[in-house]
Amino acid sequence: MAEKRILIVDDEPNTRKGLAKMLEVWSAGRYQILQAENGQEAREIIEKDKIHLLITDIRMPEITGLMLVESLKNAGKDLVVIIISSYSEFKYAQEAIQLGVKNYLLKPLNRQKLIEAVEQALVDEERIERNGVIEKVIDEHLFHIEVKNDQTRLPIKEACQYINEHLNEPLSLRNVSQSVHLNSSYFSFLFKEQMNVTFSEYVTRKRLQAAKKLLMCTDLQIADISAAVGYKTDKYFIKLFKEHEGLTPSKYRKNV
């Protein structure tokens, strides 16, 4: 069964079934096409399954399309949405835009325009999902440190580059300071002064960020990920990961 889902919400059975048939032919099994006859049924489906694109009629009894979109937004479910309507009044389009609706199509629907709107909406959904993944991986503290790194002097910039290129290898204060031709003590002082974080904390944060990417984007075993980011034992890696992230690498992978 296709993992991506498109939900069509319309109280008119013929319109709803016609749209579903149109998208099923276009999809050719790439997407699961779901249907709901009203806003309440749509909410129940969205609570149960992840929906990648919502296509909803604007005029429906009790819960209108715009009310449905607004309630989902208030609940933190910021879906990619296409509104379909028999009404072309500007106030509806204006409200839809304010709610972040991707497209507003008028009935009777033109097949080509519908498919184009759906394809563009799914491209937008992929981009949003990718950005969501990036946000989950990024260490905000590390991000701000590295923004500041743009103003640091050359030896520390070179040290950070060396660390990034050798994360899977032993990284001691001694060998990194030697790579930039500085005394260890002076290098440690300079690093903390310019980066506002100790050398060891920086290395740990870089390794754990790299580990999070591997946990999310690969099927590698925890032991392999541990080795890939420079830890000799997965036991120590798991302990460190839990201290920083609040959960084990396995639970992190499952949750995100």
Side-chain angles (χ1 to χ4, degrees):
M1 186 178 287
E3 290 183 7
K4 297 259 184 176
R5 301 176 187 90
I6 298 172
L7 175 60
I8 300 165
V9 190
D10 198 314
D11 61 315
E12 297 175 5
N14 291 339
T15 302
R16 187 176 69 248
K17 291 173 183 175
L19 274 172
K21 185 68 178 174
M22 209 180 291
L23 292 180
E24 281 165 2
V25 171
W26 160 81
S27 168
R30 291 174 297 159
Y31 297 92
Q32 186 181 355
I33 313 300
L34 305 176
Q35 299 179 48
E37 63 180 32
N38 55 55
Q40 183 55 41
E41 188 182 349
R43 283 175 181 165
E44 290 169 6
I45 291 170
I46 292 164
E47 283 298 321
K48 188 176 69 172
D49 294 315
K50 179 174 172 58
I51 299 301
H52 300 83
L53 172 59
L54 173 65
I55 302 174
T56 181
D57 188 23
I58 202 167
R59 283 280 186 103
M60 294 185 294
E62 296 182 22
I63 301 172
T64 69
L66 292 178
M67 287 168 64
L68 172 63
V69 173
E70 186 171 17
S71 69
L72 292 170
K73 199 177 185 73
N74 290 340
K77 295 183 181 295
D78 218 356
L79 276 69
V80 175
V81 181
I82 294 174
I83 289 282
I84 53 175
S85 174
S86 301
Y87 303 89
S88 58
E89 289 101 321
F90 177 69
K91 65 175 183 177
Y92 291 118
Q94 188 178 39
E95 192 174 345
I97 289 165
Q98 288 170 348
L99 289 170
V101 169
K102 289 295 175 186
N103 217 321
Y104 188 100
L105 302 176
L106 291 177
K107 296 176 181 178
L109 293 172
N110 174 283
R111 183 186 181 281
Q112 187 59 35
K113 284 186 178 179
L114 171 68
I115 299 303
E116 286 174 2
V118 167
E119 288 177 341
Q120 182 56 55
L122 289 168
V123 167
D124 291 339
E125 190 276 333
E126 289 266 0
R127 177 180 50 78
I128 291 166
E129 200 162 89
R130 266 199 312 274
N131 290 344
V133 169
I134 291 166
E135 284 174 10
K136 288 185 179 77
V137 168
I138 285 175
D139 178 329
E140 285 190 22
H141 186 61
L142 188 60
F143 173 76
H144 292 302
I145 289 168
E146 293 186 327
V147 167
K148 188 182 177 184
N149 188 25
D150 288 341
Q151 285 83 50
T152 57
R153 296 202 291 275
L154 191 58
I156 300 304
K157 278 190 176 181
E158 289 177 343
C160 289
Q161 187 176 343
Y162 181 90
I163 292 165
N164 293 337
E165 291 171 355
H166 297 82
L167 277 180
N168 63 328
E169 301 171 18
L171 282 171
S172 68
L173 183 67
R174 180 184 173 84
N175 65 27
V176 177
S177 62
Q178 285 179 344
S179 76
V180 292
H181 313 294
L182 290 176
N183 169 275
S184 296
S185 299
Y186 178 63
F187 172 76
S188 178
F189 166 77
L190 200 62
F191 195 96
K192 176 71 185 297
E193 182 187 54
Q194 293 189 27
M195 300 296 286
N196 201 31
V197 65
T198 65
F199 166 80
S200 61
E201 185 182 350
Y202 180 79
V203 171
T204 298
R205 285 181 176 274
K206 289 298 293 185
R207 282 177 163 162
L208 293 182
Q209 182 168 271
K212 286 193 282 184
K213 288 180 184 176
L214 292 173
L215 286 165
M216 293 185 70
C217 303
T218 75
D219 294 323
L220 287 171
Q221 297 294 316
I222 302 302
D224 295 330
I225 290 173
S226 171
V229 298
Y231 292 108
K232 291 181 179 178
T233 68
D234 55 335
K235 186 177 180 181
Y236 178 67
F237 164 66
I238 292 166
K239 178 178 177 290
L240 204 59
F241 192 97
K242 190 172 181 180
E243 285 175 3
H244 280 75
E245 299 298 324
L247 69 175
T248 64
S250 297
K251 285 185 179 177
Y252 178 89
R253 172 178 267 168
K254 185 179 179 182
N255 287 356
V256 301

